[in-house]
Amino acid sequence: MKKKILVWAYFTKNAGDDLFLKILFDRYPNVEWDLLTANRNYKNVFRDYKNVNILYTYRDINFGKRKLNLFFKINDFFNFKNYDALVNIGGSIFKQNKAWKIRLNEREYLLKTFKKFNKKVFVIGANFGPFEDGIFMEKYQEIFPDYDDICFRDTFSYNIFKHLDNIRVAPDVVFTLDIKQPAIKEKSVGLSLIDIENRDGLKEYYHDYNQKMIELIELYSKLKYKIKLFSFCEYEGDLKICQKIANTESFKKLDIEVISYCGNLDLFLEKFKSCEIIIGTRFHSIILALSFKQSVFPIVYSDKTFNVLKDLKLDNYFSFICDIEKLDLQSVIKNIKHNCIKNKEVFLQAEMQFEKLDLFIGEFNHNDKSLGKYETKVM
């Protein structure tokens, strides 16, 4: 009998998070998946997957001058006891922002409901934080023991909760992406850009970041490279900044291609892996570049990226956004090829993100990969 599993994720057509979902659905083709989302676009994003359905939910609606949260009232109508498990899959799903208490309440609600019916609850691929105070961490210290399995993607997050028996760590989920054929690379450089104009802690570097990206484009153009700008998430402003930089006055004679992820992962990945070089700001632009064996220079905007680079022993050649003004362009060209994964077991170790879910589901597509010897407590 097919298992039926509810999925809670970051549903904003973000290429990285949608890759998590694609990998999940490809791995377990005989599971019936329901996506808990208010974003109706996802009916089209995964339209080719006959075993993926949308379970529409809602969060905020405007009620006069007030916002009304319907998450709990709408979900009370759903019969969660018909599911075998809940999977919460994503990267920065445990971060302290303005809405963190709302997200915590939603998380507690789903956890309590599934455990009431004696159902399994899994967390896959996450990092913990960033967080600002001990109260945030204490709240999760209270609820994490109730999960059946939590697998983080960096040792920093793992070390915070390693005293709990249900906590594991393994490399990022996207390292398990099935790369069917090697990319045919052209002489091109791809820049993954983000809009930091209104991001707390980063907006003061908005001009410096944009200017340095412009200078990198000018440099690589002089070296006769084609230029491609990648928007991983239009909702978060990636496309806006790509178009702004592409329309720079001095670039009018340049043939700059802007590639925006609009829900077609295969097309987006084909464009991405055709690049010889990646200047990556988005977390998964770096992970993908390492997977596709592209030369990559990381621009770090969050500790989540730095923590993973440390785990991979790739924290020698990168730049924090806060230091971007000091970045020497010639050092980028000189050092960019040094960023490659030397320990190929990372790709197999990443499979262990799914270790407990594999055991629960009982059937999966491992492509004959031997995983038994890999330890998921430390990387």
Side-chain angles (χ1 to χ4, degrees):
M1 183 175 174
K2 277 188 176 183
K3 281 189 165 54
K4 187 174 183 179
I5 298 179
L6 185 66
V7 180
W8 197 28
Y10 185 58
F11 295 107
T12 60
K13 286 207 292 185
N14 180 308
D17 288 277
D18 286 1
L19 272 171
F20 277 14
L21 295 169
K22 170 183 169 56
I23 289 166
L24 183 70
F25 304 152
D26 285 343
R27 188 180 188 90
Y28 308 105
N30 295 320
V31 171
E32 186 178 344
W33 301 100
D34 278 2
L35 311 185
L36 188 63
T37 177
N39 191 336
R40 294 174 183 266
N41 288 318
Y42 276 84
K43 192 169 185 178
N44 291 321
V45 173
F46 294 107
R47 62 183 177 275
D48 294 333
Y49 291 81
K50 305 305 180 187
N51 59 329
V52 175
N53 307 294
I54 304 293
L55 186 65
Y56 292 116
T57 188
Y58 295 88
R59 278 208 173 111
D60 301 329
I61 65 167
N62 292 321
F63 189 73
K65 293 183 178 180
R66 295 187 305 153
K67 276 192 174 182
L68 186 64
N69 189 309
L70 292 182
F71 183 87
F72 308 103
K73 292 187 178 299
I74 293 292
N75 288 337
D76 279 341
F77 289 103
F78 299 142
N79 198 350
F80 288 136
K81 69 180 181 181
N82 291 331
Y83 291 97
D84 295 291
L86 169 69
V87 169
N88 192 184
I89 187 169
S92 299
I93 57 177
F94 303 115
K95 64 181 178 181
Q96 187 173 5
N97 54 23
K98 293 178 181 178
W100 77 266
K101 290 181 180 179
I102 296 173
R103 300 293 89 84
L104 175 66
N105 289 337
E106 293 172 355
R107 188 164 278 118
E108 287 178 317
Y109 165 81
L110 288 172
L111 181 61
K112 181 179 178 181
T113 302
F114 271 76
K115 299 319 287 184
K116 178 176 71 176
F117 296 122
N118 199 28
K119 305 296 184 179
K120 300 288 187 182
V121 183
F122 302 91
V123 173
I124 295 172
N127 54 268
F128 190 80
F131 59 95
E132 299 169 3
D133 56 56
I135 296 174
F136 180 83
M137 186 173 66
E138 287 170 11
K139 290 295 183 182
Y140 280 99
Q141 291 276 14
E142 293 173 7
I143 69 169
F144 275 177
D146 294 330
Y147 285 83
D148 292 278
D149 181 58
I150 298 173
C151 192
F152 288 117
R153 65 180 176 186
D154 60 64
T155 53
F156 174 85
S157 301
Y158 167 74
N159 284 335
I160 298 173
F161 301 99
K162 64 183 179 182
H163 57 284
L164 300 176
D165 292 337
N166 60 337
I167 303 295
R168 301 182 300 113
V169 61
D172 188 78
V173 166
V174 172
F175 281 129
T176 72
L177 183 66
D178 185 13
I179 301 173
K180 295 180 174 62
Q181 58 187 17
I184 300 174
K185 296 183 178 66
E186 60 183 6
K187 189 175 180 179
S188 62
V189 57
L191 289 87
S192 155
L193 305 178
I194 64 170
D195 184 9
I196 63 172
E197 186 174 16
N198 297 306
R199 282 186 182 242
D200 290 341
L202 292 176
K203 54 190 175 185
E204 62 187 288
Y205 308 109
Y206 175 73
H207 174 75
D208 292 338
Y209 171 73
N210 293 354
Q211 182 58 36
K212 195 62 67 170
M213 296 304 105
I214 289 170
E215 291 173 12
L216 280 165
I217 291 170
E218 290 172 340
L219 176 62
Y220 276 104
S221 295
K222 289 176 182 176
L223 296 173
K224 307 301 182 185
Y225 279 83
K226 293 181 181 178
I227 307 297
K228 299 180 181 182
L229 306 184
F230 287 92
S231 162
F232 272 63
C233 185
E234 181 178 353
Y235 174 77
E236 294 186 3
D238 293 20
L239 180 58
K240 174 186 169 185
I241 199 63
C242 285
Q243 291 174 334
K244 177 181 175 65
I245 288 181
N247 291 327
T248 298
E249 184 68 25
S250 60
F251 291 167
K252 285 195 172 179
K253 293 184 180 180
L254 295 183
D255 183 17
I256 297 178
E257 184 179 5
V258 174
I259 299 105
S260 180
Y261 172 64
C262 299
N264 189 329
L265 277 170
D266 291 336
L267 178 62
F268 187 79
L269 291 177
E270 283 300 315
K271 291 279 190 178
F272 187 89
K273 69 182 182 181
S274 69
C275 296
E276 180 184 319
I277 293 168
I278 296 294
I279 309 294
T281 308
R282 277 285 174 193
F283 178 92
H284 278 110
S285 71
I286 300 163
I287 301 298
L288 284 171
L290 293 169
S291 298
F292 292 139
K293 299 179 181 177
Q294 294 161 296
S295 296
V296 57
F297 190 87
I299 308 294
V300 175
Y301 74 95
S302 167
D303 284 347
K304 68 179 181 182
T305 307
F306 179 66
N307 290 334
V308 166
L309 290 175
K310 280 200 300 183
D311 285 345
L312 296 172
K313 297 180 173 55
L314 295 176
D315 54 335
N316 288 324
Y317 306 108
F318 72 95
S319 175
F320 287 112
I321 279 187
C322 61
D323 297 325
I324 198 74
E325 186 183 14
K326 305 171 189 173
L327 181 62
D328 178 60
L329 302 187
Q330 293 303 321
S331 73
V332 174
I333 294 175
K334 179 181 177 181
N335 296 315
I336 197 164
K337 292 187 178 180
H338 292 290
N339 284 326
C340 62
I341 293 179
K342 297 176 176 63
N343 179 11
K344 304 306 178 186
E345 289 189 350
V346 164
F347 298 99
L348 287 177
Q349 290 167 345
E351 298 278 345
M352 299 308 287
Q353 283 281 348
F354 299 100
E355 179 186 29
K356 300 301 182 183
L357 191 58
D358 284 348
L359 293 171
F360 173 70
I361 291 174
E363 61 83 22
F364 51 92
N365 178 16
H366 261 331
N367 294 328
D368 296 322
K369 292 175 181 175
S370 175
L371 305 174
K373 65 180 180 178
Y374 294 108
E375 175 61 54
T376 57
K377 291 293 184 185
V378 291
M379 289 191 292

